[in-house]
Amino acid sequence: AAGVIQSPRHLIKEKRETATLKCYPIPRHDTVYWYQQGPGQDPQFLISFYEKMQSDKGSIPDRFSAQQFSDYHSELNMSSLELGDSALYFCASSFLRGGYSTDTQYFGPGTRLTVL
Amino acid sequence: AQKITQTQPGMFVQEKEAVTLDCTYDTSDPSYGLFWYKQPSSGEMIFLIYQGSYDQQNATEGRYSLNFQKARKSANLVISASQLGDSAMYFCAMRVFTGNQFYFGTGTSLTVIP
């Protein structure tokens, strides 16, 4: 079965640079979520999109922005990178059947961002 | 506010034995879902099992079962017949009806000993 695709899988950037992470959800999934997982930590919710509209916002810094496109893929744009942004960034997708809490989020393999 | 608590930072289990990973949760929302994910050292998050707040029976998926005790607000994961490949970090997560995001616990690192 098709899974969530994330690219790139690994990314190395310098401080103050910008980065763009891409996410391709499972076909027919209409909701995309972004999470940040620091070393030894649990995933922290950043932001989500439903049908190309922002649906929930978590602890996403102002330096980050995201959007979902007409083909449902999503991009997380990160500017003025800091050392503390080094983390594993997950994208997850689900199919929201009227917003029921049964909707499982399926995670992609993650993008490991290292800021030097 | 929603909260997930996993009190076992690390667990060891002998191969072929069963192990229980603890998870308690807190929410005032009457409708919610509870999930368990496995994260091997390679980093991906693998969905294991789901339990809905209105489900009458405990969820089972192969060797995984969820011991759901609603009154105690606990959703423990039971892995039967442990295998070496079960060594990983395990996260308990919750989603409430009024929101889309998942709330994760801090995880339990499980090591299966041959």
Side-chain angles (χ1 to χ4, degrees):
Chain A
V4 177
I5 297 171
Q6 290 187 248
S7 68
R9 293 292 308 276
H10 301 272
L11 191 58
I12 299 175
K13 290 285 185 178
E14 300 274 343
K15 276 190 339 183
R16 291 180 288 277
E17 284 191 323
T18 62
T20 297
L21 309 185
K22 296 186 179 183
C23 168
Y24 297 86
I26 292 172
R28 293 192 297 278
H29 280 194
D30 51 16
T31 308
V32 166
Y33 313 79
W34 286 96
Y35 291 86
Q36 178 193 57
Q37 186 179 26
Q41 298 182 356
D42 54 292
Q44 295 294 314
F45 172 73
L46 295 178
I47 196 167
S48 65
F49 293 87
Y50 168 64
E51 285 290 344
K52 291 151 279 185
M53 300 283 288
Q54 181 182 309
S55 55
D56 270 304
K57 196 171 183 180
S59 51
I60 184 169
D62 292 340
R63 299 177 289 109
F64 294 6
S65 65
Q67 57 182 324
Q68 186 179 31
F69 295 87
S70 58
D71 64 351
Y72 293 98
H73 94 272
S74 178
E75 294 183 5
L76 177 66
N77 298 294
M78 312 159 73
S79 62
S80 302
L81 286 169
E82 302 173 355
L83 296 178
D85 295 329
S86 295
L88 188 56
Y89 289 83
F90 285 108
C91 171
S93 75
S94 69
F95 177 59
L96 275 190
R97 291 163 290 178
Y100 296 142
S101 59
T102 58
D103 300 311
T104 298
Q105 294 183 16
Y106 294 91
F107 284 73
T111 293
R112 191 169 295 280
L113 173 66
T114 303
V115 181
L116 302 176
Chain B
Q2 278 48 252
K3 187 175 182 181
I4 291 282
T5 302
Q6 293 179 255
T7 57
Q8 306 155 313
M11 291 278 288
F12 291 87
V13 64
Q14 205 76 37
E15 197 178 2
K16 299 189 180 69
E17 298 288 312
V19 63
T20 298
L21 306 184
D22 295 342
C23 172
T24 58
Y25 61 92
D26 190 24
T27 180
S28 56
D29 199 308
S31 178
Y32 51 88
L34 296 158
F35 304 79
W36 277 92
Y37 287 84
K38 171 184 177 183
Q39 187 175 40
S41 57
S42 51
E44 70 265 36
M45 293 283 279
I46 302 166
F47 165 69
L48 295 178
I49 197 166
Y50 158 82
Q51 179 83 43
S53 57
Y54 296 116
D55 293 343
Q56 296 297 314
Q57 292 188 320
N58 288 341
T60 60
E61 287 287 347
R63 295 187 297 112
Y64 304 108
S65 60
L66 202 152
N67 185 0
F68 181 46
Q69 299 189 45
K70 196 170 182 176
R72 294 186 178 183
K73 292 192 173 180
S74 74
N76 299 338
L77 177 70
V78 180
I79 304 175
S80 63
S82 296
Q83 301 172 355
L84 295 178
D86 293 334
S87 293
M89 184 71 82
Y90 288 80
F91 288 98
C92 179
M94 175 173 63
R95 174 175 179 254
V96 297
F97 181 78
T98 51
N100 290 335
Q101 66 171 291
F102 272 24
Y103 299 89
F104 283 88
T106 50
T108 295
S109 177
L110 176 68
T111 302
V112 179
I113 304 166

